[in-house]
Amino acid sequence: MPNVPLEMIWWVLGLPLIGFLLQAFLGKKIIDTLGHRYGKKIVGTMAVLPIAAAFLLGIGITANLAQFPPGERNVVLTLFSWIEIMSIKIPFEVVVDPLSMTMVLIITGIGSLIHLYATGYMGDEKDYSRFFTYLNLFIACMLILVLGNNLALLFIGWEGVGVCSYLLIGFWFKDLNNSRAANKAFIVNRIGDVGLTLGMFILVLMMAGNAERLGLTDGRWLSYDVLLPNMVEVFKDQPFLTATVALLLFVGACGKSAQFPLYLWLPDAMAGPTPVSALIHAATMVTAGVFLLNRMSVLFELSPFASAIIAIIGAFTALFAALIAFGQTDIKKVLAYSTVSQLGFMFIACGAGAYWAGMFHVTTHAFFKALLFLGAGAVIYAMAHEQDMRKYGNLLKYLPITGACMLVAWVAISGLAVPFLFGFAGFYSKETILGGALAGQHAIAGGINLGMIAGWVGLLVAMLTAFYMTRMTWMTFFGKQERWRLADGPSHDHGDSHHADHEAHDENAHHAHEDHGPDVHGFFYTEAEMARRAELEEHDHHHDIEPTHEPKEVGPAMWIPLAVLGVLSVIGGWFLYSGDRFKKWLYPNGLTVLPPEVVPKYPEWETLLMFLSIGAALAGVLLGWHFYKKGLPEREGWDLAKWHPFRRAAANQFHYDQKMVDGSLKGGAQLGEMLNRTDKGFIDGMVNGIAWLTGLFGNLLKRFQTGNVRWYAAMMLLGGIGVLGYLWWVALKLGGA
Amino acid sequence: METTTGFGLLSLVTFLPLIGAILLMCIPQQFEKFHKVMAMSITIATFIISLQILNVFESRSFHFQLVEFIPWIKQWGLHYRVGIDGISLWLVLLTTFLTVVATTFSLYVNKRVKAYMIMLLLLETSMLGVFVSLDLILFYAFFEASLIPMALMIWIWGGERRNYAAIKFFIFTFVGSIFMLIGMIALFLLHKDATGIASFSLIDIQDAVATGKLWEGAENLHALQGLLFWAFAVAFIVKCPMFPVHTWLPDAHVEAPTAGSIILAGVLLKMGTYGMLRFCLPLFPDVLPNNVFWLMLLATIGIIYGAIVAAVQPDVKKLVAYSSVAHMGFVVLGIFSLSHTGMQGGAMQQLNHGISTGALFLLIGLIYERRHTRMFKDFGGLKSQMPIFSALFLIIMLSSVGLPGTNGFIGEFLALMGAFESGFSGVMGFSWWLPAIAATGVILAAVYLLWMFQKMFYGSNSNPENKRLKDLKPWEIALVGTLVVFVFWGGLYPNTFLKPMESSIAATRLMALGGVNGRPSWKNLNHEVDPKGNLVQVSPRAPGGSLLPYTVERIVTPAQLHHRYDPPDMDRVPRQGPPQIQGNRDLPPAVALNSGGPSTP
């Protein structure tokens, strides 16, 4: 392994940024000049290379870091002073430590695979370079988020990835539904961000207030190397305040990591292209909340109350989302709710104090969930952009590579394992989480061990996970029905790629242009240019999948990432778990505050837990197999009326989303209109009142309405003379006195 | 304070546009192109000369620099006095810069071009005059003078309801500033009573406040001081504008021509917040803790109210106008937080708002020139039609949202942080919940601005009129591009802007919070503020010697400004509402974040 100096971290950060700038300024030009075929190849390579290079550098830096003694794996590098005023200093600084490097490897590693995949998946896209502009920017922002050595830099990345997510969800902007989904994502995230901001404010306040006592002078209140070591001292004997700050930060994490009640945006975010769902909304961005909890773990260790709340909200989210997943027929929606549910697992772990277990699940989940999304994308690609699983079936026959990889991911997320011998990625991370939660003594609120309750709920959800993932797998890949060949499916709403523009319809209706004046400024296209533009415009109308459609296996740019992720999903968990490698890497000295007996690694009944979790997974798989082995059940067909009421409710997210969105939209609109009316009424009343009350202004008003400028000027002059005269008088009087 | 007698750099910058205007008056109006090019050259020249200020400006001193003094009416103590400090420095540069932008855009004007250009140049002189005046009456004169060209611009070049809008604009701001004039005269009289010297000089009057002389003789000290505080505050509240006297702004913006809107939002509103920093804080230190709560309350209401009303507007210009009410709320919130962080944030937010909202109005102007409509219903799907325009709009919109990495974030973040800190300790008479509510305004900002972007750019491009639109021309891209540069400059390296204003902000804060003898005085040249924010006594400089570096003789311990801070105790409910002052000068301790400061005796 080459020994890459830690300073190369600036290149890890800089390369995606350079890629972004190249894409933004040159991408479109390259495609326009070289034509779609070669231009896209070059642009695609330009997009993948910086990320892949950053990944290689990241490996080198991590290897270098691993040679440091465990206590010293914490290097801060400063580039320049970002905000520097007397009361607070926020430098642009990065921290190279095991936690940040783990995230860097996930982001650049999975990121470069998904970039590669996207060069294939988005190959037919007109706005090819715009897509990679956003995607490279996302990687850069995400790296700032994890590498930044203070909470303000984290916040730059935090909102930066939010904007990239906003832009990518609304990538196909011609469909207003996509742009609504994008707005929803940004706005719901902003709610969380306010919590995070307020939490930051209290941290600054506490640090600055205690600075003198602690002998701190440099004003970097938000920097981790100042903040974290002093946390215990600062928050000593302040349980209420500690819980407040911890919960405010958790609100931020809730927004980004889609926990109840702020999970609302994630399912809608599936409106974006599938590589985006895989990269941003499954593998990296949504785990930022878990990263934050790990980064600030000292604070959460200090507050058992906040931790208990986190654990129980995680458990509720996991359960709630898993139930909703049963009502979904859109393959991406199933995966979206599955992501929400798995994120819930990570929060159970963090709440229970098993922070490394949360990060472990972040890692393994990045492997298999990215694989699932990419596989789903390949299926959607092969099925002419049909996302409804009711139109699938028997696809393993047509898509052997994709199918095989998806099956691996299915086994991995279900958490199957051979006792005492070997398990797939999901098995190890889930078992670690459940072990930590069931035996932990940290997440206790009001004398109740909420962490343990969360652990039991987690076990149930593990069974449900295996169940609905089996449902998805069987409906897609197995069974003898090839349902897109059946004629019974009504044409339905489509997500991906359904960006049919309705312009063509309107165009003819209004084609008779009214006579425009001469275009002196050259603002408009001439009629001839208009005609040329209309020709160039691609009318990619969406077609429903034909019964005669023959699915074809996807190209190597798409299946190579699948295969790599497949391998990782098989051995990744086992590799990181064996010898307790991952925990020793992340937390070599254990937690700062909590003693080991409060957050034990395993319960004493380790073997029993292993059998319990394998049993749950097996039960889920068997249940799924039992119900879906014959293909699509009659009661889940196209006719929603035949569905079980519970499943119908689940399909609608138990009406939670609807109520929240409708309520806020309607309420907001009513309030806005009311205030707007008041505003208008208020002004006129006020102006007229003043005019009526004072003769001077009334007169002025009248003069104004005559529209005579000179009169107005004269009035001003008179007024000025009046004021000056008054001053003269005052001065004389004073002088006399 | 290097005093020049006679005209110097500042006067040149201030009056160059006026000279230009006089020049233009002599040219017959049929030479439209000449007028346009001439006005543009003058504003560009003014901008380039104003950049020279940066070269000679010494940012470590809080004293007024480049001071010019020309005796005028000795009897009244009314003289021509100009000078700048760190606070006005950037506002001067913002003014000269935005006027260039507005004039360049005005190449599109085709109605009464000569008069239009003259108005713009007169406006520039009056605005610059406001920011450089050190004499109360001079300030007032420029403050009112800026009203006339602006009102005329609305009135002559405005839209359909221009009469109404111009009258309303005029009446609102005029009535507000009448109170200020009364306040100024009262200050003059008090100062003459206390010292026997007739002077309208801000420096003299503030010195009398700092040494405690001014308010000594006055009976009913707090009542009078409070009254005068509000006389000034009302003028600036209207100008800002803050809820509930903001209603002139949407009408004025909707009717004003584009250049007028850029100037109005970019610079004129800043006169209000500048006035607060320049007059309300240094001159009325004793009544601040009693009255700050109400200003904070109005600012918070404005932030929420402006955002909610903005969200339902059918007209994009009106939406941005209401968003100004919300954004200026953050400025006021920061300034009256009276914490160093917050005041820096507030002062920074002034510049940011000038850049981002000015740019928004410019972009709206560009599309209005083409389509002659600003209604959302006429737009939609422009993103595919005008990709560069939409990309620029997106960046500016995100800066207005306050995205970290753009300038909008720095101001809002620091202002809110400062307000929250002061509020949490409760010492300034307002509690933490006010800024906490104000922070939710950030969510609402995202709501209305994202909706705006969606309605303009997303969806299908179904209006045939819009299908004819070409993308922006290169010079238009360059014009918006310069503003975009400042968006990122302010967001990624804000120190450029924060550093030069730091001493002045710290001094202003001490003027407002320090006890008698603990207040810096602009007149006392031995006063400086050290890098930790303490008032220090420096050795007297040799006449004509360089301003800095100074040698610190001793640290002046502000009489009642405690550099000590009690960590908040949640069991002790923070004081809410305005506290009553017990005794004469018993000020509550300030939030002092500078830990390295001297301990209280």
Side-chain angles (χ1 to χ4, degrees):
Chain A
M1 200 60 84
N3 224 345
V4 179
L6 297 187
E7 284 74 24
M8 292 300 276
I9 199 72
W10 297 116
W11 283 103
V12 174
L13 207 58
L15 281 170
L17 210 57
I18 293 169
F20 154 70
L21 292 173
L22 284 177
Q23 294 287 338
F25 288 104
L26 297 179
K28 200 169 178 325
K29 282 218 178 77
I30 291 175
I31 292 181
D32 285 349
T33 352
L34 297 178
H36 277 237
R37 190 148 166 224
Y38 297 106
K40 276 182 183 170
K41 280 219 172 92
I42 290 176
V43 168
T45 319
M46 263 165 52
V48 179
L49 276 185
I51 316 296
F55 176 61
L56 293 179
L57 280 177
I59 291 181
I61 293 169
T62 313
N64 190 352
L65 187 71
Q67 292 163 9
F68 284 45
E72 294 165 24
R73 287 179 196 154
N74 193 327
V75 182
V76 176
L77 300 163
T78 310
L79 192 61
F80 66 93
S81 161
W82 179 37
I83 298 176
E84 186 175 344
I85 54 178
M86 287 171 185
S87 44
I88 187 169
K89 291 184 177 43
I90 306 175
F92 194 95
E93 54 186 355
V94 294
V95 57
V96 180
D97 72 346
L99 181 59
S100 67
M101 286 320 289
T102 308
M103 285 303 282
V104 166
L105 291 184
I106 295 174
I107 294 159
T108 52
I110 309 267
S112 47
L113 286 176
I114 293 176
H115 272 69
L116 176 63
Y117 175 92
T119 57
Y121 188 85
M122 302 298 285
D124 304 331
E125 181 57 49
K126 210 170 69 178
D127 273 344
Y128 196 71
S129 62
R130 184 162 63 92
F131 181 77
F132 285 112
T133 310
Y134 297 161
L135 217 54
N136 274 354
L137 179 63
F138 168 78
I139 300 276
C141 291
M142 194 69 204
L143 288 175
I144 291 178
L145 194 161
V146 297
L147 280 172
N149 183 42
N150 55 57
L151 282 172
L153 274 185
L154 173 131
F155 198 64
I156 291 194
W158 192 269
E159 290 235 310
V161 292
V163 165
C164 295
S165 157
Y166 160 78
L167 291 169
L168 283 162
I169 295 168
F171 182 74
W172 286 312
F173 56 83
K174 285 187 181 171
D175 188 347
L176 269 183
N177 284 328
N178 295 348
S179 108
R180 280 189 203 112
N183 286 355
K184 189 172 172 185
F186 194 88
I187 290 163
V188 173
N189 265 303
R190 266 259 152 152
I191 298 174
D193 292 354
V194 167
L196 181 55
T197 318
L198 292 180
M200 255 192 267
F201 290 166
I202 302 185
L203 283 175
V204 170
L205 189 71
M206 294 302 289
M207 288 298 289
N210 288 295
E212 215 165 326
R213 185 161 65 86
L214 300 172
L216 304 172
T217 49
D218 67 348
R220 296 188 302 131
W221 310 134
L222 285 173
S223 297
Y224 300 137
D225 54 327
V226 177
L227 185 61
L228 298 180
N230 291 304
M231 195 80 93
V232 178
E233 191 59 32
V234 165
F235 281 99
K236 207 172 49 185
D237 307 324
Q238 301 253 29
F240 187 80
L241 201 59
T242 317
T244 310
V245 180
L247 287 175
L248 281 172
L249 294 186
F250 175 61
V251 170
C254 259
K256 198 100 296 181
S257 292
Q259 294 299 291
F260 191 85
L262 299 180
Y263 79 92
L264 294 165
W265 63 274
L266 187 58
D268 289 34
M270 295 301 126
T274 305
V276 173
S277 314
L279 178 61
I280 301 184
H281 304 126
T284 54
M285 185 186 85
V286 288
T287 60
V290 186
F291 169 78
L292 178 66
L293 263 54
N294 268 272
R295 185 51 92 196
M296 302 297 293
S297 57
V298 188
L299 179 67
F300 295 93
E301 286 169 51
L302 286 170
S303 177
F305 177 77
S307 294
I309 301 283
I310 291 169
I312 207 70
I313 285 189
F316 179 75
T317 311
L319 180 64
F320 190 68
L323 289 177
I324 294 174
F326 280 96
Q328 303 301 319
T329 55
D330 180 329
I331 187 166
K332 280 182 79 180
K333 284 278 166 74
V334 176
L335 293 177
Y337 286 106
S338 158
T339 305
V340 176
S341 176
Q342 298 299 310
L343 288 167
F345 270 100
M346 300 171 202
F347 278 90
I348 295 176
C350 293
Y355 299 98
W356 62 88
M359 276 308 288
F360 191 19
H361 203 52
V362 165
T363 315
T364 57
H365 179 256
F367 298 155
F368 57 70
K369 189 51 68 65
L371 175 53
L372 281 168
F373 265 113
L374 294 185
V379 169
I380 294 166
Y381 190 82
M383 294 295 284
H385 295 289
E386 178 59 62
Q387 291 181 210
D388 201 313
M389 296 190 297
R390 288 172 292 188
K391 289 243 176 186
Y392 294 171
N394 201 22
L395 284 179
L396 191 60
K397 184 178 143 196
Y398 299 95
L399 309 169
I401 306 173
T402 307
C405 293
M406 285 281 273
L407 291 188
V408 168
W410 159 62
V411 177
I413 192 177
S414 303
L416 285 176
V418 185
F420 305 114
L421 204 61
F422 177 78
F424 290 85
F427 164 75
Y428 290 113
S429 52
K430 254 183 224 174
E431 200 209 14
T432 321
I433 289 173
L434 296 180
L438 288 174
Q441 297 295 319
H442 174 49
I444 294 174
I448 306 166
N449 191 342
L450 290 179
M452 193 169 76
I453 297 173
W456 287 113
V457 174
L459 195 62
L460 172 67
V461 178
M463 191 271 282
L464 294 175
T465 308
F467 190 175
Y468 68 73
M469 287 313 294
T470 311
R471 168 179 179 264
M472 188 200 88
T473 310
W474 243 262
M475 280 172 81
T476 308
F477 290 108
F478 296 114
K480 287 288 165 267
Q481 303 170 333
E482 297 182 352
R483 286 186 295 274
W484 70 95
R485 300 191 194 283
L486 308 176
D488 61 348
S491 76
H492 224 64
D493 57 320
H494 326 270
D496 255 31
S497 237
H498 174 52
H499 46 267
D501 37 322
H502 307 281
E503 300 162 39
H505 310 294
D506 307 300
E507 200 171 18
N508 297 332
H510 300 276
H511 208 60
H513 288 304
E514 58 258 47
D515 195 27
H516 301 292
D519 180 18
V520 283
H521 295 297
F523 284 154
F524 305 109
Y525 290 112
T526 60
E527 292 290 329
E529 283 171 322
M530 291 273 291
R532 201 162 345 119
R533 278 174 63 83
E535 265 172 41
L536 282 173
E537 203 158 305
E538 290 164 36
H539 287 288
D540 43 358
H541 282 287
H542 177 81
H543 298 290
D544 283 331
I545 186 166
E546 303 284 334
T548 54
H549 182 79
E550 290 292 324
K552 278 196 211 71
E553 184 56 271
V554 293
M558 287 168 74
W559 66 251
I560 290 174
L562 293 184
V564 175
L565 287 170
V567 172
L568 287 173
S569 301
V570 176
I571 59 165
W574 168 79
F575 175 77
L576 293 173
Y577 181 81
S578 48
D580 224 5
R581 227 174 247 145
F582 199 69
K583 189 193 167 186
K584 279 181 189 155
W585 166 243
L586 273 187
Y587 291 87
N589 301 326
L591 296 175
T592 317
V593 181
L594 297 180
E597 61 269 20
V598 174
V599 187
K601 210 180 99 216
Y602 304 112
E604 283 138 19
W605 25 288
E606 182 187 346
T607 321
L608 179 61
L609 177 72
M610 182 177 71
F611 278 111
L612 269 178
S613 58
I614 295 177
L618 215 54
V621 170
L622 286 175
L623 276 170
W625 175 76
H626 173 73
F627 283 106
Y628 297 95
K629 63 185 172 194
K630 286 179 189 152
L632 186 71
E634 186 69 8
R635 295 196 64 185
E636 289 181 41
W638 295 100
D639 187 4
L640 285 180
K642 281 188 193 158
W643 283 27
H644 191 279
F646 181 78
R647 196 184 294 278
R648 266 208 307 273
N652 283 326
Q653 309 186 29
F654 303 101
H655 305 288
Y656 171 67
D657 178 79
Q658 197 189 348
K659 274 188 187 130
M660 292 294 283
V661 173
D662 285 2
S664 55
L665 277 184
K666 264 186 209 145
Q670 272 171 6
L671 181 65
E673 289 298 341
M674 192 192 79
L675 289 182
N676 195 23
R677 273 199 301 277
T678 324
D679 205 57
K680 277 181 188 153
F682 190 59
I683 346 164
D684 293 346
M686 203 147 152
V687 173
N688 295 342
I690 290 170
W692 183 75
L693 276 174
T694 57
L696 172 72
F697 289 124
N699 205 9
L700 206 61
L701 201 66
K702 231 189 277 167
R703 290 294 149 199
F704 260 121
Q705 280 160 346
T706 63
N708 190 330
V709 193
R710 287 191 187 84
W711 227 105
Y712 168 70
M715 280 299 291
M716 274 312 294
L717 201 64
L718 279 176
I721 290 169
V723 170
L724 284 179
Y726 172 72
L727 284 176
W728 183 258
W729 177 73
V730 168
L732 280 183
K733 210 176 143 206
L734 279 171
Chain B
M1 185 163 83
E2 274 148 63
T3 306
T4 42
T5 324
F7 267 42
L9 184 57
L10 281 186
S11 297
L12 180 64
V13 170
T14 310
F15 292 107
L16 189 62
L18 181 68
I19 297 166
I22 294 169
L23 201 71
L24 287 194
M25 279 178 199
C26 309
I27 314 282
Q29 62 183 10
Q30 55 265 38
F31 300 114
E32 289 195 348
K33 206 153 212 176
F34 177 83
H35 282 289
K36 285 177 183 173
V37 173
M38 196 62 205
M40 221 175 108
S41 329
I42 292 164
T43 49
I44 289 175
T46 313
F47 176 57
I48 291 171
I49 295 172
S50 70
L51 284 180
Q52 176 62 21
I53 298 175
L54 277 179
N55 280 346
V56 293
F57 189 81
E58 174 51 70
S59 59
R60 276 175 297 177
S61 170
F62 76 87
H63 283 290
F64 287 108
Q65 302 176 34
L66 296 170
V67 174
E68 294 163 28
F69 177 81
I70 300 173
W72 191 12
I73 308 174
K74 220 169 240 171
Q75 217 168 348
W76 300 346
L78 179 57
H79 304 292
Y80 176 78
R81 261 181 267 249
V82 294
I84 52 166
D85 69 347
I87 298 169
S88 45
L89 167 73
W90 290 115
L91 291 168
V92 167
L93 291 173
L94 180 76
T95 309
T96 53
F97 174 63
L98 280 182
T99 315
V100 173
V101 173
T103 322
T104 312
F105 176 85
S106 301
L107 296 180
Y108 281 134
V109 170
N110 50 16
K111 180 184 170 190
R112 301 180 70 175
V113 175
K114 177 182 171 182
Y116 191 90
M117 295 300 159
I118 290 174
M119 286 302 154
L120 268 179
L121 292 173
L122 289 179
L123 196 55
E124 183 173 15
T125 288
S126 53
M127 291 183 304
L128 289 170
V130 167
F131 295 132
V132 298
S133 296
L134 297 183
D135 188 280
L136 297 189
I137 295 299
L138 198 64
F139 176 88
Y140 177 78
F142 280 121
F143 196 80
E144 293 292 31
S146 68
L147 217 63
I148 299 165
M150 193 68 229
L152 284 178
M153 260 178 116
I154 297 172
W155 194 29
I156 298 174
W157 291 271
E160 279 170 24
R161 298 174 70 221
R162 54 179 183 263
N163 273 358
Y164 176 72
I167 295 167
K168 194 147 98 179
F169 167 67
F170 191 84
I171 291 180
F172 265 72
T173 40
F174 189 76
V175 169
S177 41
I178 288 275
F179 291 104
M180 180 171 72
L181 180 64
I182 296 169
M184 285 172 169
I185 292 167
L187 278 178
F188 170 84
L189 296 175
L190 281 166
H191 180 256
K192 196 171 157 66
D193 261 8
T195 63
I197 303 163
S199 174
F200 271 109
S201 162
L202 173 66
I203 299 175
D204 288 343
I205 292 174
Q206 194 272 331
D207 184 61
V209 174
T211 52
K213 277 186 216 144
L214 187 80
W215 300 109
E216 249 170 23
E219 284 175 30
N220 294 328
L221 173 121
H222 279 103
L224 182 61
Q225 201 176 347
L227 218 59
L228 290 180
F229 170 80
W230 280 104
F232 275 84
V234 162
F236 302 135
I237 285 175
V238 174
K239 201 85 188 179
C240 246
M242 290 168 75
F243 180 87
V245 282
H246 62 278
T247 51
W248 61 269
L249 185 71
D251 284 301
H253 265 309
V254 168
E255 302 307 328
T258 298
S261 284
I262 296 172
I263 300 280
L264 181 58
V267 184
L268 280 188
L269 305 189
K270 311 301 170 301
M271 290 182 185
T273 45
Y274 170 73
M276 291 173 182
L277 271 169
R278 183 59 82 230
F279 297 100
C280 290
L281 295 187
L283 298 185
F284 311 98
D286 302 320
V287 293
L288 277 176
N290 272 4
N291 293 309
V292 156
F293 170 80
W294 300 107
L295 282 160
M296 296 296 272
L297 184 69
L298 288 183
T300 306
I301 293 176
I303 289 168
I304 305 296
Y305 179 91
I308 293 175
V309 179
V312 296
Q313 298 305 322
D315 177 337
V316 57
K317 220 172 173 188
K318 213 162 186 174
L319 186 149
V320 179
Y322 274 106
S323 87
S324 284
V325 177
H327 279 119
M328 291 307 282
F330 283 110
V331 181
V332 178
L333 205 67
I335 290 174
F336 283 98
S337 71
L338 296 178
S339 77
H340 185 75
T341 318
M343 288 173 67
Q344 283 261 344
M348 180 76 188
Q349 179 70 2
Q350 289 185 84
L351 308 177
N352 299 336
H353 179 261
I355 297 286
S356 354
T357 310
L360 271 180
F361 279 120
L362 173 66
L363 288 163
I364 294 167
L366 288 172
I367 193 76
Y368 183 79
E369 275 306 313
R370 289 162 164 75
R371 292 281 289 103
H372 297 288
T373 175
R374 290 181 307 253
M375 294 294 159
F376 285 123
K377 63 178 167 44
D378 295 322
F379 293 114
L382 284 184
K383 187 159 179 154
S384 50
Q385 187 76 28
M386 310 174 76
I388 298 175
F389 178 66
S390 79
L392 292 171
F393 206 106
L394 179 74
I395 293 170
I396 302 292
M397 181 272 281
L398 289 174
S399 135
S400 197
V401 167
L403 186 79
T406 65
N407 58 353
F409 171 72
I410 308 291
E412 267 176 27
F413 184 70
L414 292 180
L416 276 174
M417 186 192 278
F420 197 74
E421 280 160 12
S422 294
F424 216 84
S425 57
V427 289
M428 293 302 156
F430 59 91
S431 183
W432 57 270
W433 55 263
L434 261 176
I437 291 172
T440 61
V442 181
I443 305 170
L444 297 173
V447 172
Y448 65 78
L449 286 165
L450 292 189
W451 276 355
M452 174 182 82
F453 194 75
Q454 172 186 325
K455 285 178 204 161
M456 299 266 299
F457 294 97
Y458 286 163
S460 64
N461 182 10
S462 52
N463 189 336
E465 284 294 299
N466 293 337
K467 299 199 96 169
R468 300 170 58 229
L469 286 170
K470 277 190 197 167
D471 211 333
L472 296 188
K473 301 179 203 170
W475 71 266
E476 293 170 332
I477 297 171
L479 186 61
V480 185
T482 50
L483 288 154
V484 169
V485 168
F486 284 106
V487 163
F488 287 116
W489 191 339
L492 296 176
Y493 198 69
N495 285 345
T496 315
F497 307 99
L498 291 171
K499 279 277 160 211
M501 60 169 86
E502 178 136 46
S503 303
S504 299
I505 293 280
T508 306
R509 176 166 176 266
L510 288 176
M511 286 173 191
L513 292 178
V516 177
N517 298 327
R519 298 171 190 158
S521 157
W522 278 313
K523 200 175 190 178
N524 188 343
L525 291 181
N526 295 344
H527 279 177
E528 278 301 346
V529 176
D530 74 357
K532 282 176 177 155
N534 301 308
L535 179 61
V536 290
Q537 193 88 39
V538 298
S539 59
R541 278 167 288 108
S546 71
L547 195 64
L548 286 166
Y550 48 74
T551 44
V552 177
E553 286 193 330
R554 66 190 174 87
I555 294 176
V556 181
T557 310
Q560 268 122 0
L561 178 64
H562 301 285
H563 283 265
R564 180 179 59 81
Y565 175 65
D566 296 323
D569 180 358
M570 291 293 281
D571 301 331
R572 195 182 67 204
V573 181
R575 205 182 330 168
Q576 296 184 8
Q580 292 309 307
I581 286 189
Q582 301 118 14
N584 262 5
R585 305 276 161 87
D586 181 20
L587 286 174
V591 185
L593 292 179
N594 31 339
S595 59
S599 50
T600 322

